[in-house]
Amino acid sequence: MIKGFAEAVYKKYDGTAYDLMNEALEKALNMAGIQRSDIQGFITTFLPGIFDGNIFLHFFPDQLCGYLGINPKYIDSLDYGGPSVLAGLYRAEKLIKYEGLDNILLLFGGKGSLVRQTRETVDSYENLYDGVTNTPYKQLLSGYSYKNPLSDYALVAQRHKKIYGTADEDRARLMVKQRKNGNDSGYSMFTGDISVDDVLSSPVISSPLHLLEIVYPVDGFHAFIVSKSPGKLRPVKIKKYGEAHWSKLPPELEEIMITPASESSRNFRDEIKHCDAYELYDSFSITVILQLEDTGIIKKGEFGKFIEKTDISSSGDMPLNTGGGSINRGQPAYMSGSVLLYESLLQLNGMAKNQVRDINSVFINGIGGWSRNHSVSMILGD
């Protein structure tokens, strides 16, 4: 059960990544009512460039523990990208149940602005260094100005248009509705009403994806403390769980429009359809569409009809990305999983400004890794 949770998110933070993570941790400790000495487990992740420009930090979790002044019995670093924090929550619950530990700290984030200002991404950060390769793309794509994962998701969106007739207006309509949710949430970073025309008139970054359907990397950390008791919070825990890992590059996939979410959600599709709210990874507009299809919420090719007729607001018939998603909150250090988990906990604990009424369960799905290699699906509730 989660005893404390907090965020510290900025468009651009002037201090170090270490200062920023300390801010998020202190807030979570205050909510949980515990001290740093009470933390018995620590789970985190690392991506190139997000910690004060370092492409690599040796024994990274140890360095963080030393800086934060914690001495956990268990340390782990999960390298799944966006859904890492969700996988961390599952492992934390198992550590408490089977290993007898208490107060497991999940700390995820970094400084996306450090990478953003180089005009690279965490997947192409290697371009800044001679003789350094941290992705399998460098030799394959040398000579091209590649910006994965953007170019890859644009290819998927283009294929979705061709095979299923998904129009640019359909994706834009999703962005308009998510922006409305972000406005209503009271804590979204990117606010103000937008229209379908606004989305479609924003610059095309990689055809057919426009600027307003692409996530913006920001600086931030989320801290979650998983404990034996929920303290003052609702006793929220994982009710259903699945993860899937497809270690293939796009040319090796039989179909690029199918993601590992089709596997990670396979064993509880009926339960998914009866959840009270849905938080789906939204690095790009097309990412949400793929998860809606692959988790069985809608059929392939029916997104246009779905988004035209469905009210996805917190008071609607299918609350979806109720905080506006990371497209409107910002994506801390190129990972959106913590944004989804944070909003889910706000909703389940009755702490959201745009509260879903009578909410008892939230379906969360995270996608990450090169070319959607990893997916974590879970239903959270009590």
Side-chain angles (χ1 to χ4, degrees):
M1 291 172 280
I2 295 176
K3 195 172 191 174
F5 64 98
E7 67 168 9
V9 179
Y10 302 85
K11 190 172 184 179
K12 189 177 188 307
Y13 183 74
D14 291 332
T16 68
Y18 301 94
D19 295 333
L20 189 53
M21 73 168 69
N22 196 61
E23 179 182 335
L25 173 57
E26 195 62 33
K27 292 178 182 178
L29 289 171
N30 288 338
M31 178 183 285
I34 64 173
Q35 305 297 317
R36 295 177 190 233
S37 58
D38 297 319
I39 295 174
Q40 297 183 357
F42 178 57
I43 303 176
T44 188
T45 193
F46 177 84
L47 291 177
I50 64 173
F51 277 84
D52 301 291
N54 290 292
I55 194 168
F56 179 72
L57 288 172
H58 199 39
F59 298 126
F60 174 66
D62 293 333
Q63 293 192 39
L64 295 195
C65 288
Y67 174 80
L68 295 171
I70 59 176
N71 188 30
K73 299 177 181 178
Y74 177 90
I75 296 175
D76 202 355
S77 180
L78 300 176
D79 198 13
Y80 304 154
S84 295
V85 66
L86 305 179
L89 176 58
Y90 177 77
R91 284 152 178 75
E93 287 195 358
K94 296 303 179 184
L95 286 168
I96 290 172
K97 183 175 181 179
Y98 296 111
E99 299 296 330
L101 298 184
D102 200 5
N103 301 322
I104 313 297
L105 170 63
L106 313 180
L107 190 61
F108 287 79
K111 294 190 66 176
S113 68
L114 294 172
V115 181
R116 189 180 70 233
Q117 67 191 13
T118 68
R119 305 187 71 83
E120 298 291 346
T121 73
V122 290
D123 288 350
S124 64
Y125 199 71
E126 58 192 18
N127 290 337
L128 300 175
Y129 299 86
D130 293 330
V132 173
T133 300
N134 65 1
T135 79
Y137 291 110
K138 190 167 187 177
Q139 292 182 343
L140 178 66
L141 299 176
S142 60
Y144 295 89
S145 178
Y146 69 96
K147 291 292 183 287
N148 278 310
L150 170 59
S151 302
D152 175 53
Y153 275 93
L155 179 64
V156 175
Q158 193 69 49
R159 179 164 173 76
H160 210 277
K161 285 181 63 175
K162 179 177 177 59
I163 300 301
Y164 297 119
T166 304
D168 292 346
E169 288 80 5
D170 297 330
R171 299 193 318 274
R173 197 167 287 115
L174 171 65
M175 296 297 92
V176 170
K177 292 186 177 185
Q178 280 202 197
R179 174 61 68 89
K180 177 64 165 58
N181 285 352
N183 291 341
D184 293 342
S185 74
Y187 73 102
S188 183
M189 183 174 294
F190 301 101
T191 58
D193 293 336
I194 59 173
S195 66
V196 169
D197 287 342
D198 289 332
V199 177
L200 297 181
S201 62
S202 66
V204 174
I205 306 302
S206 186
S207 182
L209 297 179
H210 297 77
L211 179 65
L212 290 181
E213 47 184 326
I214 298 171
V215 78
Y216 188 86
V218 298
D219 299 344
F221 276 89
H222 287 83
F224 306 93
I225 297 174
V226 189
S227 306
K228 292 179 180 178
S229 69
K232 298 178 181 179
L233 299 180
R234 188 174 182 177
V236 170
K237 60 183 181 296
I238 297 173
K239 300 174 70 175
K240 295 290 181 179
Y241 183 84
E243 61 181 74
H245 309 282
W246 295 359
S247 300
K248 293 182 178 181
L249 298 180
E252 300 174 303
L253 296 172
E254 293 183 10
E255 175 53 72
I256 61 174
M257 293 187 296
I258 299 176
T259 74
S262 60
E263 181 181 332
S264 60
S265 64
R266 183 177 297 162
N267 293 331
F268 49 100
R269 294 283 178 82
D270 289 340
E271 291 91 338
I272 290 173
K273 294 178 181 178
H274 294 94
C275 286
D276 299 315
Y278 300 81
E279 301 295 332
L280 304 182
Y281 205 86
D282 65 334
S283 48
F284 307 94
S285 56
I286 186 64
T287 320
V288 180
I289 298 172
L290 296 177
Q291 290 167 99
L292 285 168
E293 295 173 338
D294 288 348
T295 60
I297 297 172
I298 64 174
K299 293 181 179 179
K300 287 283 186 184
E302 293 188 353
F303 175 73
K305 181 170 61 177
F306 164 83
I307 197 60
E308 182 179 4
K309 296 182 177 180
T310 306
D311 182 352
I312 67 169
S313 71
S314 59
S315 59
D317 37 281
M318 186 187 154
L320 170 64
N321 290 351
T322 49
S326 60
I327 277 185
N328 294 295
R329 181 60 181 130
Q331 187 183 52
Y334 295 83
M335 296 173 287
S336 299
S338 295
V339 175
L340 307 180
L341 181 56
Y342 182 82
E343 171 64 17
S344 299
L345 292 171
L346 288 178
Q347 291 289 347
L348 287 167
N349 283 284
M351 299 165 65
K353 183 177 179 181
N354 56 334
Q355 185 65 48
V356 176
R357 294 184 61 183
D358 302 321
I359 185 170
N360 292 303
S361 61
V362 179
F363 173 64
I364 311 174
N365 203 90
I367 294 284
W370 291 315
S371 315
R372 305 163 303 283
N373 292 134
H374 310 285
S375 176
V376 173
S377 306
M378 68 168 62
I379 295 177
L380 209 59
D382 58 8

